[in-house]
Amino acid sequence: MSDARSHEASPTAPRADVIPVPAVPRVDVRGGGRFPVHRIYCVGRNFADHAREMGAVAPASKAERGTPVFFMKPADAIVTGEVVAYPPGTADLHHEVELVVAIGHDAAPGVLPVEQAQALVFGYTVGLDLTRRDLQAAAKAKGLPWDTGKGFDHSAPVSALLPAADAGDYAAMALDLDINGVRRQHGELRDLVWDVADILHELSKLYALRTGDLVFMGTPAGVGPLLPGDHFHARLHPHGLVVDGVIAPARGAAMLAATASARQQTSLSKGAADGHDE
Ligand code: MN
């Protein structure tokens, strides 16, 4: 034992926290209770219709899929309220509506067998994988990580969770997203390139899946910009799960400048969306 340690009152005494314990983000569960969030995993490039929109050939078999694209958001990126502040550092905030899978059990050590994956699922929700597309595009161009484009504060609005026991087969579900009352995205979950069991199996090769994890399953075609003042309304059919809110203006003149820039880019955003692949 070092001299420094020998000066402590008692090496076996419990240590007190020196700061308050950070709040655990929680998502309401339909029917009662709350779901504490541990980690947020996200899947990129996971909708066949979007792959086709991109001009890519949708994989004809599982053997042709390669490996899925994963990234993460911090757990406290979760938003359960109705107001999302326009984030700093971007002039091109994008929406991506997605099925979100909630994990209700720790996976056993090792690789999770595909046939055991569904048993880990606590439930489902609908969420927005908000993206600072300009930062992500710059990172991609330089071969750098996507963290600043994806894993920022308030980047994961979600609805209440629907327990799996009440949900039926998720492959029968569909996603819609309206912005200011206009349909912008629609996806059928049967069109996922990597289904939920496949994704949990693949994640388990890289991470220990734990109780409280959320997995954003990837977005269908139609991603595009969100501007301050925009109203978003996302639904998971047929269960009526809804994320509904507004993008609030951020503070100060810098925000106004970013807004002006974003509006100038709106006409270009369709083209930008075509270059998107999450
Ligand atoms: Mn996404």
Side-chain angles (χ1 to χ4, degrees):
M1 179 173 290
S2 72
D3 289 345
R5 288 289 301 274
S6 68
H7 288 294
E8 293 170 6
S10 168
T12 58
R15 287 174 176 265
D17 294 331
V18 298
I19 57 170
V21 176
V24 175
R26 290 177 166 83
V27 179
D28 284 348
V29 176
R30 183 185 280 185
R34 298 187 301 177
F35 181 92
V37 178
H38 174 243
R39 289 181 185 169
I40 304 174
Y41 299 102
C42 302
V43 186
R45 305 172 189 173
N46 201 26
F47 257 93
D49 71 337
H50 186 58
R52 288 190 286 269
E53 175 190 59
M54 297 281 292
V57 177
S61 70
K62 287 193 172 187
E64 295 177 26
R65 292 181 301 187
T67 54
V69 175
F70 292 127
F71 56 93
M72 297 176 75
K73 293 175 184 278
D76 65 357
I78 287 291
V79 178
T80 56
E82 297 179 347
V83 177
V84 176
Y86 197 96
T90 185
D92 197 20
L93 179 68
H94 267 210
H95 55 76
E96 299 189 358
V97 66
E98 308 196 2
L99 175 72
V100 183
V101 178
I103 303 301
H105 306 279
D106 290 352
V111 176
L112 175 70
V114 171
E115 59 274 15
Q116 295 178 18
Q118 197 65 39
L120 263 59
V121 175
F122 171 85
Y124 303 96
T125 184
V126 56
L128 296 179
D129 167 16
L130 296 180
T131 301
R132 294 193 279 215
R133 191 71 73 199
D134 41 3
L135 298 192
Q136 186 202 24
K140 280 184 180 177
K142 296 176 181 175
L144 294 173
W146 296 0
D147 299 51
T148 61
K150 287 292 195 178
F152 52 92
D153 295 320
H154 316 302
S155 61
V158 295
S159 79
L161 273 171
L162 177 69
D166 302 329
D169 183 4
Y170 75 85
M173 299 180 196
L175 297 163
D176 281 331
L177 175 67
D178 293 349
I179 305 297
N180 302 326
V182 178
R183 178 65 40 83
R184 298 277 282 272
Q185 292 191 265
H186 173 81
E188 307 280 339
L189 274 308
R190 63 174 176 265
D191 289 334
L192 289 174
V193 174
W194 298 81
D195 67 23
V196 171
D198 291 338
I199 285 298
L200 298 185
H201 169 73
E202 293 293 330
L203 275 171
S204 76
K205 297 177 179 177
L206 300 166
Y207 306 98
L209 289 171
R210 298 288 302 276
T211 307
D213 290 343
L214 298 178
V215 184
F216 279 63
M217 288 294 296
T219 198
V223 302
L226 283 167
L227 298 176
D230 279 351
H231 171 239
F232 56 85
H233 184 86
R235 289 170 304 278
L236 183 65
H237 302 286
H239 299 292
L241 295 176
V242 169
V243 183
D244 186 278
V246 296
I247 304 297
R251 298 173 298 278
M255 185 57 240
L256 296 176
T259 302
S261 175
R263 290 194 185 283
Q264 289 170 3
Q265 293 183 9
T266 299
S267 64
L268 302 175
S269 295
K270 184 58 181 171
D274 291 342
H276 138 89
D277 56 12
E278 297 77 60

